[in-house]
């Protein structure tokens, strides 16, 4: 299948999710379950996407673990998005390089 | 009107810089998954969503069915529906459908936050200014990452590709630390996603679909166990 069909479908779905409620809903959502469900979606989805995928995104599992560890510690220290992302990826790079030197 | 637009652009500059660096990682990753740099740029230009694009990339790379793409985007981006509802409350009733349709495209987590923290009613011009500059950073970052991805050595590409995970971690951890139910939510999603990665049987489910199932199950369980407080008056 052409990649452009995928991109079109992806863009259209994403846009409609954003546009329909903004145009149609003038009142807040009443259902407590729906509001609760939506409240938990971001954390549930980002967590599922990050782990364990990060372990397999690098040359060695060890560098994935290092990147994860550095990012988690910095996030616990409330560092900015940019700092956490940059230092995590630096940790991955350095660990990968060290692994190559040693083996 | 023009003053609001300029104020929006100014407020959006930090978001623009943050987006640039993260979508640099997206560009690198897209190219290393075999995408043409122009296609990677097209994705960022037309979608403007980090988690959704990232999951979409997995779906494209797997050559999965279109329904899987729709399902993935619906679940991962469902939070935008909620944010759009909230954004609608912040706009006056005089804001027409055309302006709302334009604003909807730029409703990302960060631009939403900028809009919602404005005093009083939100001006569409402010929101569009902030959204445009953010989209510029997002697309330019992908372009730079995709171009660099073609020349950088593999080890650098892999490391930069993990920036996206770093961003997700930076979003999730502070929330899990602040709220007990969020910590539970993170733990449950973690267990669910590990089961799909390692357990025989579940292991064969495609990545994109596994993310959808994990998200829906986790969010539903959390919504039942820890429902959010009843609405206290409109904001």
């Amino acid at each position: 299948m052409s990649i452009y069909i995928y991109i079109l479908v992806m863009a259209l779905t994403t846009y409609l999710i954003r546009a329909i409620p903004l145009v149609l809903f003038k009142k807040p959502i009443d259902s407590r379950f729906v509001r609760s469900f939506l409240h938990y979606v971001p954390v549930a989805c980002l967590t599922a996407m990050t782990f364990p995928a990060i372990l397999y995104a690098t040359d060695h599992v060890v560098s994935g673990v290092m990147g994860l560890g550095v990012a988690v510690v910095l996030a616990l220290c409330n560092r900015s998005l940019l700092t956490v992302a940059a230092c995590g990826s630096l940790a991955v790079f350095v660990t990968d390089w060290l692994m190559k030197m040693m083996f | 009107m023009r003053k609001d637009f300029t104020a929006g652009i100014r407020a959006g500059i930090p978001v623009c810089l943050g987006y640039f660096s993260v979508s640099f990682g997206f560009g690198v990753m897209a190219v290393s998954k075999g995408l043409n740099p122009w296609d990677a740029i097209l994705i960022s230009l037309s979608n403007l969503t980090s988690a959704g694009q990232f999951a979409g990339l997995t779906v494209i790379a797997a050559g999965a069915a279109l329904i899987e793409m729709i399902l993935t985007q619906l679940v991962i981006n469902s939070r935008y529906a909620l944010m759009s509802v909230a954004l609608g409350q912040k706009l006056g009733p005089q804001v027409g459908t055309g302006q709302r349709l334009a604003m909807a495209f730029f409703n990302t987590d960060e631009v939403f936050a900028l809009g919602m923290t404005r005093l009083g009613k939100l001006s569409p011009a402010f929101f569009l200014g902030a959204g445009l500059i953010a989209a510029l950073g997002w697309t330019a970052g992908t372009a730079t990452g995709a171009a660099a991805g073609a020349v950088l050595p593999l080890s650098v590409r892999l490391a930069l590709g993990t920036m996206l995970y770093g961003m997700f971690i930076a979003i999730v951890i502070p929330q899990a630390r602040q709220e007990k139910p969020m910590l539970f939510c993170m733990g449950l999603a973690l267990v669910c996603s590990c089961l799909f990665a390692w357990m025989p049987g579940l292991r064969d489910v495609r990545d994109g679909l596994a993310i959808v199932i994990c998200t829906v199950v986790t969010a539903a369980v959390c919504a039942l166990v820890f429902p959010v407080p009843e609405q206290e008056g409109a904001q």
Side-chain angles (χ1 to χ4, degrees):
Chain A
M1 200 171 349
S2 160
I3 186 170
Y4 299 106
I5 298 177
Y6 278 115
I7 298 178
L8 181 73
V9 167
M10 172 158 76
L12 210 62
T13 313
T14 307
Y15 178 69
L16 290 178
I17 293 167
R18 287 167 166 163
I20 292 174
L22 192 55
V23 173
L24 292 188
F25 281 78
K26 304 264 156 99
K27 280 193 292 181
I29 298 177
D30 282 331
S31 159
R32 195 177 178 195
F33 177 77
V34 173
R35 284 190 297 115
S36 305
F37 180 85
L38 292 172
H39 177 69
Y40 291 111
V41 162
V43 164
C45 142
L46 296 182
T47 304
M49 283 206 295
T50 305
F51 198 86
I54 190 170
L55 303 182
Y56 303 113
T58 58
D59 265 351
H60 300 271
V61 174
V62 183
S63 37
V65 172
M66 287 301 289
L68 178 70
V70 167
V72 168
V73 168
L74 288 173
L76 281 172
C77 300
N78 284 321
R79 290 308 153 93
S80 77
L81 201 129
L82 186 53
T83 313
V84 174
C87 293
S89 119
L90 189 68
V92 167
F93 179 75
V94 171
T95 314
D96 256 350
W97 182 74
L98 286 175
M99 300 284 290
K100 245 171 243 146
M101 291 276 122
M102 284 191 288
F103 303 106
Chain B
M1 184 86 176
R2 175 177 287 175
K3 220 177 74 193
D4 282 337
F5 187 72
T6 319
I9 289 182
R10 202 164 298 147
I13 288 174
V15 177
C16 170
L17 296 177
Y19 276 11
F20 183 93
S21 53
V22 172
S23 81
F24 184 93
F26 174 79
V28 169
M29 193 183 242
V31 169
S32 67
K33 288 214 177 197
L35 262 72
N36 170 319
W38 289 107
D39 295 343
I41 295 168
L42 185 63
I43 292 179
S44 282
L45 189 64
S46 61
N47 281 266
L48 196 62
T49 161
S50 59
Q53 285 183 204
F54 172 69
L57 208 55
T58 318
V59 176
I60 293 174
L66 280 177
I67 185 72
E68 197 170 313
M69 176 64 93
I70 295 174
L71 216 66
T72 308
Q73 301 303 315
L74 272 179
V75 171
I76 290 172
N77 290 333
S78 65
R79 67 182 189 283
Y80 292 133
L82 183 74
M83 293 181 344
S84 280
V85 172
L87 197 67
Q89 312 293 305
K90 183 89 174 159
L91 292 169
Q94 83 288 353
V95 177
T97 304
Q99 278 175 312
R100 284 170 188 258
L101 286 176
M103 289 173 68
F105 182 79
F106 300 101
N107 195 11
T108 68
D109 306 57
E110 287 77 12
V111 177
F112 169 78
L114 282 180
M116 293 305 283
T117 47
R118 290 285 278 179
L119 281 176
K121 287 286 175 204
L122 171 64
S123 137
F126 173 87
F127 192 85
L128 290 174
L132 273 173
I133 193 85
L136 184 73
W138 186 251
T139 309
T142 302
T144 316
V151 290
L152 290 173
L154 181 69
S155 59
V156 179
R157 288 206 312 256
L158 286 176
L160 287 172
T162 59
M163 276 190 83
L164 227 49
Y165 296 118
M167 185 181 76
F168 296 158
I169 292 167
I171 294 172
V172 167
I173 298 282
Q175 291 192 57
R177 196 175 156 183
Q178 230 166 35
E179 271 183 68
K180 272 269 159 57
M182 276 303 182
L183 186 63
F184 175 79
C185 176
M186 186 184 86
L188 193 60
L190 212 62
V191 171
C192 183
S193 142
C194 287
L195 286 179
F196 274 100
W198 294 319
M199 206 170 101
L202 288 181
R203 201 165 51 190
D204 304 324
V205 176
R206 247 201 294 267
D207 287 356
L209 194 61
I211 292 168
V212 171
I213 297 172
C214 287
T215 306
V216 171
V217 170
T218 305
V221 170
C222 290
L224 289 173
V225 181
F226 302 108
V228 296
E230 286 295 347
Q231 211 121 37
E232 315 133 13
Q235 32 177 317

